[in-house]
C-alpha cells in the first residue's frame, strides 16, 4: 500500500512540474500545479513518506506565492513543518 501511495505521489508531482514548465495562462498554470502538488503531498502522507511530503508542501507554497495567496502559502509551510517534525520529532534549532 505504501509503495502504491508513493508511486501516486510521484506521478502527481511530475504532472505538477509539467504544468509549471508548460504553456498555459499564468494563473491557471499555478492553480493546476497547486492542485496536483496537494494530491502528491497527501499521497506521500498516506505512505508516511514525511520528507517527501514536506518537500512537496514547500513546492505547493511556491505556487500559492505565485498566485498571491499568502494564507494558503503559509498553510502549506505549516504542513511542511509538521511533516518534517514527523521525521525528527526532537526538531532542529536554526540559528
Amino acid at each position: 500500500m505504501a509503495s502504491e501511495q508513493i508511486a501516486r505521489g510521484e506521478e502527481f508531482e511530475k504532472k505538477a512540474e509539467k504544468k509549471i514548465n508548460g504553456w498555459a495562462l499564468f494563473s491557471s498554470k499555478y492553480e493546476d500545479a497547486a492542485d496536483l502538488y496537494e494530491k502528491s503531498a497527501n499521497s506521500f502522507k498516506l505512505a508516511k513518506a514525511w520528507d517527501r511530503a514536506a518537500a512537496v508542501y514547500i513546492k505547493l507554497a511556491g505556487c500559492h506565492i505565485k498566485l498571491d495567496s499568502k494564507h494558503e502559502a503559509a498553510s502549506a509551510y505549516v504542513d511542511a513543518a509538521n511533516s518534517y517534525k514527523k521525521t525528527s520529532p526532537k526538531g532542529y534549532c536554526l540559528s
Side-chain angles (χ1 to χ4, degrees), residues 22-78:
W23 292 92
L25 293 174
F26 177 77
S27 64
S28 69
K29 172 166 81 168
Y30 288 105
E31 286 172 10
D32 293 345
D35 289 338
L36 291 165
Y37 280 138
E38 185 84 44
K39 291 177 182 178
S40 174
N42 287 332
S43 293
F44 287 132
K45 278 175 49 178
L46 288 172
K48 298 186 190 298
W50 302 112
D51 284 337
R52 306 272 311 264
V56 173
Y57 277 124
I58 290 171
K59 292 178 182 181
L60 174 60
C63 287
H64 287 309
I65 289 169
K66 292 280 188 186
L67 293 166
D68 200 31
S69 301
K70 294 176 179 89
H71 178 70
E72 286 84 359
S75 294
Y77 282 128
V78 168

